Amino acid sequence: MEKFSLNGQWLISSNTYATVGQVPGSVFSALLENGLMDDPFYRDNEAKAVAIMDEKFVFTKTFNYEKPSDCVILVCEGIDTLCDLYINDKFVAHTENMHRAYEFDVTKFLVNGENTIKAVFPPYDAYIKEKSKEKEITSGTIATMIGFAYVRKAFYMSGWDWGPMLTDAGIWKDIYLIDGSLPRITDVKITQRHEDGQVFVTTYAQTSDKADISVTITTPDGKTISAKNGEEVEIENARLWWPNGYGAQPLYTVTTKCLSGEKVVDESVKKIGLRTLVVSREQDQWGEEFCYKVNGVKIFAMGADYIPEDNILSRLSRERTKKLLEDCLFANFNAIRVWGGGFYPHDYFFELCDEMGIIVFMDLAFACTAIPGSQEFYDNVKVEVTQNVRRMRHHACIGVISGNNEIEEQASVPNWWKEQEKADYLELFENIIPEIMKKEWPEVSFVPSSPSARGGLVTPTDENIGDSHYWMVWHGNLPFTEYRNHYFRFLSEFGFQSFPSYKTIEQFALPEDRNPFSPVMELHQRNGSANGKILNYLSQTYLYPTSMEKLTYASQLLQAEAIKYGVEHLRRNRGRCMGALYWQLNDCWPVASWSSIDSNGRYKALHYEARRFFEPVHISCAETGEYSTRFDITAERYYDYATKAHIFVTNDTMSEVAGIVKWELRNNKGEILKNGETPLNVSALSYASIPEIDFNKTNPRNNYLSFAFVVDGKMVSAGTVLFTKPKHFNFLNPNLEVTVNGGEITITASAFAKYVYISNENDDLVLSDNFFDLCAGKKTVKIISGKPNALTVKSVYDIR
């Protein structure tokens, strides 16, 4: 389809500003590029950015155009969000939804020759405040602008408990003119049928007018298969698509061409993976399972929740997202969840997940609020959902579609929502959207909300049915060991906060700001008084750090340990528990949050811990000790508690693994006091354990346990565990030394060192392992990226 692009340079103006900017782009991107606003991420500049958007902004472009026919269509793939469009000063249309594309017949507004198009963006905050005066909507979040639910703008732009209030505006996707008299492809649906080892594919193409259609399927090795529109074709020697860790991700290219006579006037190219993928909801002795079933194999989902990567959308790119998803592969992810308070990701997000074998749990763009419930709202959302479902449905990576994030959970709380709001919820998420899904994409698994059990606002938090969100560790202030009291079928959200890299803090805060309770640090903490919560958990676990840099390090260890407790427990109950997606993968700005990668792409301790606890074959220990037995050091006979270890090996591969579990009881010097080994066979897609070991109340302040799983003489997984809280363990100075040899770094320790952290001057070093435990001696890690300059190294011993 030939497009007359309106992208490129536009004039952007308000009462205060007049500049040029690029489209796709926004008010903020233009002002920043021209040095007309301060970085909204720096210190407390967010308030200045909020004030900028109290003005009306006008985007203007003049262009020369010759009408090709008596029908010209203006296509706006993405407008953010409240906007009035004009051509040659004549009103064309009003938009209120950034999540959908718009098409307008603008023939009568255009002239041959010079034309002017304007996009007028009124102040968003004033609009939603006025709407709220008319009718108040119940919101489940206090970190956002009042009234955000009235506009189909990505909710997080109005603020969230990890993000700023930066309600930018602009044309965020392509805008262009097309010849509406020519037939064009309006939809392509590709279905698969798998039967007795054979795979059949059918392509259904729809066009705006009568036209001839040709379909070609290109195999991964370049062979072509001709097909007819609407007719099934067999894919011989079909190569199946698998999630990461279970097999390869071969992709087939389906090219659909629309012809007017002999001329190709439009073309659609989509890549597909041949697979079956459903959420299995079989009944069992615990309730009802919730797990991905790919090509007949039940997969344990391992990953995290993804939020928008930035508040300024023009800074997003395929390359940036590819790096983030490669970071997921680094941590052994096979799954990811797209959270519902953002926007529907660009096509390249799903394409990359297809290529990398990352299963996507896809929330539609709704989160934590009641909805307006008007017919106008429903009609708008119907178009939004239909368009995005059609855009996503050919992707191999999509595992489940969820109607929203946490709205059912909130609506089911007694005496909170109005009855009409509950009725409006049910109308949209259990009537309108399911009907769209049934029509457009019946093959995909759909749940009305995340979390959700039975739907219908009936016990959405039931741990034995559906997916779950669990926040009593963190929001509920419960200890990490609390995870072991729950057996969630699929835990799609749970988390623990930490500060970002200290180098990231240096980039947004001045030296005088670098205190957890300074105004700047509290502005870069959106979860209420959560900096105090970090310190509360820290007081239970570590000695008091004497600098902000040490506090940052300690907070990241807390986060890593918390999520490790949860994930390892769930993996030790594979079969009953079939998914662990922690909150959250990434940040949209520099902030203290639940992410494992901060806004500058720097790995926190959690991301390295995830690389270990998500490894396909993983050894873990459910210890009995201070964490699980005592809370208060003033308790009677405080140190008179059991010290036991139950060691498990989880195998998430398609083959049985036979190896040896080796363990050593060591003192704080790293010396072995007692050891043992036990052969252990672990079936494919299963777990096994050795008998619990009782260390007869070994001295918990001086002694700890190390353990490893060895297969064919090679250690495939290892770990350590303390029987007391780190603050009560007598860590010796390990006298850590670091040497660099080409692409490797070797650390030497004279005593047990826990959570050894190697960093360079810019803290952008990515290593094959980091934040690791070292039982004295040496460990060598590979440099994956970054330069080993000005290296520093620390361990838990340094938290003091």
Side-chain angles (χ1 to χ4, degrees):
M1 177 174 58
E2 195 170 306
K3 302 175 183 178
F4 183 87
S5 177
L6 296 173
N7 291 349
Q9 192 173 89
W10 288 56
L11 296 175
I12 299 174
S13 61
S14 70
N15 287 337
T16 304
Y17 302 94
T19 188
V20 294
Q22 292 295 311
V23 166
S26 67
V27 171
F28 288 165
S29 65
L31 297 183
L32 285 168
E33 287 166 9
N34 289 284
L36 297 175
M37 70 177 287
D38 295 326
D39 179 0
F41 292 174
Y42 185 67
R43 300 194 77 222
D44 55 0
N45 286 345
E46 176 192 357
K48 300 176 187 177
V50 170
I52 288 172
M53 297 313 298
D54 287 337
E55 297 191 40
K56 177 177 73 176
F57 279 85
V58 180
F59 284 46
T60 306
K61 185 180 183 70
T62 299
F63 59 97
N64 288 308
Y65 186 72
E66 298 293 326
K67 291 190 281 188
S69 69
D70 57 1
C71 182
V72 179
I73 305 295
L74 173 65
V75 180
C76 309
E77 293 191 356
I79 298 181
D80 175 20
T81 296
L82 298 171
C83 180
D84 291 322
L85 290 168
Y86 297 84
I87 291 180
N88 296 326
D89 292 325
K90 295 177 181 177
F91 177 76
V92 175
H94 174 74
T95 73
E96 287 196 13
N97 193 334
M98 72 175 288
H99 303 299
R100 56 168 287 193
Y102 287 90
E103 294 186 0
F104 307 110
D105 186 337
V106 294
T107 313
K108 65 181 180 181
F109 304 113
L110 292 167
V111 298
N112 291 323
E114 187 175 272
N115 294 269
T116 300
I117 183 171
K118 288 183 180 180
V120 180
F121 298 91
Y124 164 78
D125 190 31
Y127 180 87
I128 60 174
K129 291 293 190 295
E130 191 60 35
K131 283 286 188 180
S132 294
K133 290 178 183 177
E134 298 172 10
K135 176 187 175 185
E136 185 178 354
I137 291 178
T138 302
S139 172
T141 174
I142 60 173
T144 57
M145 292 179 169
I146 296 171
F148 71 94
Y150 278 102
V151 179
R152 295 303 297 144
K153 182 181 182 69
F155 288 171
Y156 83 105
M157 292 180 169
S158 298
W160 216 260
D161 58 6
W162 39 257
M165 297 179 181
L166 294 176
T167 55
D168 202 1
I171 302 169
W172 74 291
K173 291 187 177 180
D174 292 340
I175 181 169
Y176 50 87
L177 299 169
I178 60 172
D179 183 350
S181 69
L182 295 175
R184 56 195 169 102
I185 297 171
T186 55
D187 185 32
V188 174
K189 182 178 182 180
I190 304 166
T191 62
Q192 303 178 28
R193 182 168 64 88
H194 294 245
E195 185 176 319
D196 299 327
Q198 296 175 291
V199 181
F200 304 87
V201 171
T202 308
T203 303
Y204 302 89
Q206 296 180 11
T207 56
S208 60
D209 204 349
K210 187 175 181 181
D212 293 326
I213 295 292
S214 72
V215 178
T216 302
I217 302 173
T218 305
T219 67
D221 56 4
K223 296 179 181 178
T224 58
I225 303 166
S226 296
K228 294 182 179 179
N229 189 26
E231 292 188 9
E232 188 176 74
V233 61
E234 181 179 357
I235 308 299
E236 297 183 356
N237 302 312
R239 297 171 57 191
L240 297 184
W241 181 95
W242 290 93
N244 178 42
Y246 291 84
Q249 294 81 41
L251 297 175
Y252 291 70
T253 303
V254 179
T255 303
T256 306
K257 295 181 178 180
C258 173
L259 297 94
S260 179
E262 298 295 319
K263 182 182 179 181
V264 176
V265 293
D266 200 5
E267 181 179 272
S268 165
V269 179
K270 299 181 183 294
K271 290 189 175 183
I272 64 171
L274 304 179
R275 91 293 185 261
T276 60
L277 201 175
V278 297
V279 172
S280 176
R281 304 294 298 265
E282 294 179 12
Q283 301 290 316
D284 57 26
Q285 65 266 44
W286 302 293
E288 181 181 285
E289 74 176 2
F290 189 103
C291 74
Y292 293 133
K293 190 173 183 180
V294 185
N295 303 323
V297 177
K298 292 181 179 180
I299 305 295
F300 189 103
M302 299 185 287
D305 298 301
Y306 167 87
I307 65 169
E309 297 169 51
D310 208 317
N311 280 86
I312 299 174
L313 302 184
S314 60
R315 298 199 290 219
L316 303 179
S317 68
R318 184 186 186 95
E319 292 70 29
R320 181 173 174 178
T321 298
K322 182 180 181 182
K323 173 63 171 64
L324 182 62
L325 292 175
E326 287 173 343
D327 293 336
C328 294
L329 295 187
F330 173 87
N332 292 306
F333 284 25
N334 62 28
I336 199 168
R337 172 171 168 254
V338 177
W339 171 74
F343 53 84
Y344 301 91
H346 291 78
D347 291 338
Y348 57 72
F349 174 88
F350 302 107
E351 292 165 1
L352 290 165
C353 289
D354 287 344
E355 294 169 9
M356 297 181 188
I358 299 174
I359 303 174
V360 177
F361 189 126
M362 182 69 209
D363 285 356
L364 301 183
F366 302 87
C368 300
T369 183
I371 59 173
S374 65
Q375 190 58 50
E376 180 183 17
F377 177 84
Y378 291 144
D379 290 343
N380 193 7
V381 168
K382 286 177 185 177
V383 176
E384 167 194 325
V385 174
T386 299
Q387 286 183 355
N388 283 286
V389 161
R390 289 182 173 186
R391 185 167 65 87
M392 294 185 290
R393 66 185 172 195
H394 68 281
H395 287 288
C397 64
I398 304 292
V400 61
I401 299 293
S402 161
N404 64 76
N405 170 77
E406 294 183 349
I407 302 182
E408 181 182 356
E409 179 181 12
Q410 294 174 0
S412 67
V413 175
N415 304 316
W416 188 6
W417 280 33
K418 306 176 186 73
E419 290 303 315
Q420 185 57 51
E421 289 176 334
K422 294 179 183 180
D424 293 341
Y425 168 86
L426 293 170
E427 175 64 14
L428 180 60
F429 295 106
E430 300 206 10
N431 183 13
I432 292 173
I433 292 177
E435 282 299 313
I436 293 172
M437 299 304 301
K438 183 178 180 181
K439 176 184 176 183
E440 298 290 340
W441 199 0
E443 302 86 0
V444 76
S445 295
F446 174 79
V447 292
S449 184
S450 176
S452 182
R454 303 167 180 84
L457 307 182
V458 178
T459 59
T461 58
D462 189 333
E463 296 177 8
N464 296 309
I465 302 176
D467 73 311
S468 298
H469 296 186
Y470 181 73
W471 283 104
M472 292 309 292
V473 176
W474 181 255
H475 288 308
N477 297 308
L478 294 182
F480 305 159
T481 50
E482 182 63 22
Y483 286 119
R484 295 178 180 173
N485 295 325
H486 302 272
Y487 298 86
F488 307 101
R489 308 314 305 265
F490 191 108
L491 192 53
S492 55
E493 191 177 307
F494 64 112
F496 194 96
Q497 274 202 9
S498 71
F499 293 107
S501 160
Y502 189 69
K503 184 60 65 174
T504 296
I505 292 173
E506 288 181 333
Q507 291 175 317
F508 75 77
L510 294 173
E512 58 265 33
D513 300 326
R514 297 169 199 164
N515 182 294
F517 305 119
S518 74
V520 168
M521 290 301 295
E522 290 192 335
L523 281 169
H524 288 256
Q525 164 59 271
R526 310 308 282 226
N527 182 216
S529 57
N531 287 351
K533 189 182 292 287
I534 292 173
L535 266 70
N536 177 40
Y537 272 102
L538 185 143
S539 72
Q540 300 171 34
T541 310
Y542 291 109
L543 296 177
Y544 187 76
T546 54
S547 70
M548 187 68 202
E549 186 171 7
K550 289 181 181 180
L551 173 59
T552 296
Y553 169 65
S555 76
Q556 292 191 14
L557 304 191
L558 284 170
Q559 180 189 38
E561 194 75 9
I563 304 306
K564 176 184 177 182
Y565 261 87
V567 171
E568 289 187 337
H569 168 70
L570 295 172
R571 292 193 68 186
R572 288 195 291 263
N573 288 277
R574 193 192 196 283
R576 184 175 184 179
C577 309
M578 289 301 289
L581 306 180
Y582 65 78
W583 183 268
Q584 65 206 66
L585 172 64
N586 60 305
D587 285 322
C588 63
W589 79 313
V591 65
S593 81
W594 298 271
S595 70
S596 64
I597 303 174
D598 76 19
S599 61
N600 287 328
R602 295 183 172 107
Y603 290 4
K604 298 181 182 179
L606 172 56
H607 208 70
Y608 283 102
E609 195 66 77
R611 178 172 168 86
R612 293 188 287 268
F613 61 55
F614 282 152
E615 59 195 354
V617 177
H618 181 66
I619 191 169
S620 66
C621 177
E623 87 292 346
T624 299
E626 182 177 12
Y627 269 127
S628 57
T629 308
R630 303 284 190 184
F631 181 77
D632 190 347
I633 197 168
T634 62
E636 184 180 0
R637 297 177 182 273
Y638 177 72
Y639 289 110
D640 187 26
Y641 52 77
T643 54
K644 300 178 182 180
H646 196 181
I647 298 175
F648 292 74
V649 175
T650 305
N651 177 17
D652 270 291
T653 74
M654 304 275 268
S655 303
E656 182 183 56
V657 177
I660 300 172
V661 172
K662 295 186 176 184
W663 58 264
E664 300 89 21
L665 182 68
R666 297 173 180 262
N667 63 20
N668 53 3
K669 296 178 183 179
E671 298 168 338
I672 297 174
L673 306 176
K674 187 178 181 181
N675 68 322
E677 58 181 57
T678 304
L680 187 67
N681 290 1
V682 190
S683 300
L685 309 174
S686 185
Y687 67 91
S689 67
I690 65 172
E692 186 176 49
I693 308 165
D694 189 343
F695 292 104
N696 299 312
K697 301 181 181 179
T698 188
N699 185 341
R701 297 191 68 181
N702 291 332
N703 302 336
Y704 71 99
L705 181 70
S706 64
F707 46 88
F709 188 55
V710 178
V711 178
D712 296 330
K714 181 181 178 182
M715 186 178 70
V716 298
S717 182
T720 72
V721 69
L722 301 179
F723 296 108
T724 187
K725 298 174 181 179
K727 67 179 180 179
H728 294 153
F729 190 82
N730 292 324
F731 286 103
L732 302 178
N733 187 345
N735 299 301
L736 296 173
E737 296 180 359
V738 56
T739 57
V740 179
N741 184 13
E744 295 182 334
I745 298 174
T746 298
I747 299 295
T748 304
S750 63
F752 173 47
K754 190 163 184 63
Y755 281 125
V756 175
Y757 167 41
I758 308 165
S759 60
N760 64 358
E761 187 174 24
N762 197 43
D763 198 20
D764 60 358
L765 198 60
V766 176
L767 304 173
S768 58
D769 199 8
N770 208 348
F771 295 93
F772 53 79
D773 297 345
L774 183 55
C775 298
K778 296 182 178 181
K779 175 165 178 159
T780 298
V781 296
K782 296 183 183 300
I783 300 171
I784 295 175
S785 65
K787 296 180 179 179
N789 57 337
L791 293 180
T792 61
V793 60
K794 61 170 63 77
S795 70
V796 171
Y797 173 80
D798 297 296
I799 303 175
R800 60 187 63 226

